[in-house]
């Protein structure tokens, strides 16, 4: 029997919700008139009940909220000048010039769904700030932690287009590993459910033991990955 942690989480949430409902009914029957007690029991119903509903049916996001999220999402574009990494949350844009890119490494670990491209540069990117930044960005302006190492994570729009951008403007870009390797490995089971015209598929994968967590996409000096690690 396969262990599903979501079942345990949902069970705990149901227990808390039922406990809150039971406590509320008990206080009504006992004619308790303490407002604070009803607030506590209400929280026991509302908080876990809301989380349980979201896990079961999903949370709906308004179109206005979606637009705001899209406006704040990081973006990346390319041109003959270089890669333009826009960070609206910080009101800045980083221009990574092609001539400054020394090495590009792709990382994607089996332990999570987090992937990123790491750019090692010979010169820091050109930082441009918005003309009218948010007041907090005026007080605490963004500065890259390591200006010669820039990481672009998979929460960036057009993240998966980065390899093609590199391939268009740089020589000797290696895309073969990205196309061939799959960290998921072997598909063990798949379950598809339909609810309110929404199709949801849950898959259980056995990790691929031969998956390369770090892959060399580009090196200005055509070095092997082992040589770069030694430097």
């Amino acid at each position: 029997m396969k262990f599903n942690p979501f079942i345990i989480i949902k069970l705990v949430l149901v227990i808390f919700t039922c406990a809150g409902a039971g406590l509320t009914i008990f206080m009504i029957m006992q004619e308790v008139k303490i407002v604070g007690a009803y607030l506590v029991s209400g929280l026991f119903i509302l908080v876990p009940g809301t989380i349980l509903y979201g896990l079961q049916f999903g949370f709906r996001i308004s179109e206005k909220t979606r637009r705001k999220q899209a406006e704040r999402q990081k973006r990346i574009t390319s041109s003959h000048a270089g890669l333009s990494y826009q960070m609206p949350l910080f009101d800045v844009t980083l221009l990574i010039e092609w001539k400054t890119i020394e090495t590009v490494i792709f990382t994607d670990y089996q332990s999570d769904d987090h992937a990123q491209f790491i750019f090692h540069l010979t010169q820091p990117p050109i930082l441009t700030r918005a003309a009218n930044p948010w007041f907090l960005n005026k007080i605490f302006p963004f500065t890259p932690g390591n200006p010669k190492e820039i990481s672009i994570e998979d929460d960036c729009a057009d993240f998966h287009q980065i390899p093609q951008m590199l391939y268009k403007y740089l020589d000797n870009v290696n895309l073969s590993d990205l196309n061939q390797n799959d960290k998921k490995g072997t598909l063990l089971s798949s379950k598809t459910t339909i609810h309110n015209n929404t199709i949801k598929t849950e898959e259980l994968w056995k990790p691929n033991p031969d998956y390369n967590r770090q892959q060399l996409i580009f090196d200005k000096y055509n070095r092997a990955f082992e040589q770069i690690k030694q430097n």
Side-chain angles (χ1 to χ4, degrees):
M1 182 177 179
K2 297 174 183 177
F3 174 74
N4 189 341
F6 283 103
I7 295 179
I8 304 299
I9 294 173
K10 291 177 181 179
L11 180 60
V12 172
L13 293 172
V14 169
I15 292 174
F16 273 95
T17 304
C18 292
L23 179 61
T24 302
I25 294 172
F26 175 78
M27 289 190 298
I28 292 174
M29 294 177 63
Q30 297 297 318
E31 298 182 352
V32 175
K33 298 182 179 180
I34 302 175
V35 178
Y38 286 101
L39 290 176
V40 172
S41 64
L43 289 175
F44 267 83
I45 299 173
L46 182 62
V47 175
T50 303
I51 297 174
L52 180 63
Y53 178 86
L55 291 176
Q56 189 66 30
F57 304 106
F59 293 102
R60 294 184 178 181
I61 303 176
S62 66
E63 186 61 30
K64 182 178 180 180
T65 302
R66 292 181 187 275
R67 288 198 301 268
K68 287 185 178 180
Q69 290 178 343
E71 291 173 358
R72 287 293 180 181
Q73 188 177 10
K74 299 174 184 176
R75 298 182 176 278
I76 186 158
T77 58
S78 62
S79 67
H80 291 286
L83 291 171
S84 181
Y85 185 30
Q86 303 166 26
M87 308 171 70
L89 186 63
F90 301 105
D91 290 315
V92 299
T93 298
L94 300 179
L95 176 61
I96 302 174
E97 296 180 289
W98 297 118
K99 63 182 181 181
T100 66
I101 299 178
E102 184 176 66
T103 305
V104 181
I105 297 174
F106 176 75
T107 66
D108 191 7
Y109 291 89
Q110 292 175 329
S111 58
D112 54 32
D113 294 326
H114 179 73
Q116 61 180 345
F117 286 96
I118 303 175
F119 290 79
H120 295 274
L121 311 176
T122 57
Q123 295 292 333
I126 300 173
L127 190 151
T128 304
R129 302 188 187 278
N132 297 305
W134 189 37
F135 78 98
L136 282 180
N137 290 330
K138 292 181 179 179
I139 301 174
F140 305 103
F142 170 83
T143 54
N146 185 351
K148 290 188 179 181
E149 181 178 310
I150 302 298
S151 297
I152 300 180
E153 302 176 351
D154 54 7
D155 60 349
C156 173
D158 300 320
F159 174 83
H160 297 287
Q161 300 301 317
I162 291 177
Q164 296 301 326
M165 296 177 186
L166 299 176
Y167 186 80
K168 181 177 180 180
Y169 292 99
L170 297 176
D171 296 327
N172 301 321
V173 175
N174 181 19
L175 303 182
S176 59
D177 289 341
L178 291 180
N179 296 329
Q180 294 176 3
N181 286 305
D182 187 358
K183 71 173 181 178
K184 292 182 178 180
T186 305
L187 179 63
L188 299 178
S189 64
S190 178
K191 179 181 178 182
T192 300
T193 57
I194 302 176
H195 180 78
N196 292 337
N197 297 324
T198 300
I199 301 176
K200 180 180 180 181
T201 302
E202 295 180 357
E203 297 179 340
L204 179 63
W205 291 82
K206 179 182 179 181
N208 180 5
D210 298 324
Y211 177 75
N212 295 322
R213 297 181 177 90
Q214 291 185 317
Q215 301 167 37
L216 178 63
I217 306 303
F218 169 79
D219 183 71
K220 187 175 184 179
Y221 308 107
N222 296 322
R223 296 170 295 180
F225 205 1
E226 291 71 19
Q227 292 177 287
I228 296 173
K229 288 182 178 180
Q230 293 175 357
N231 294 338

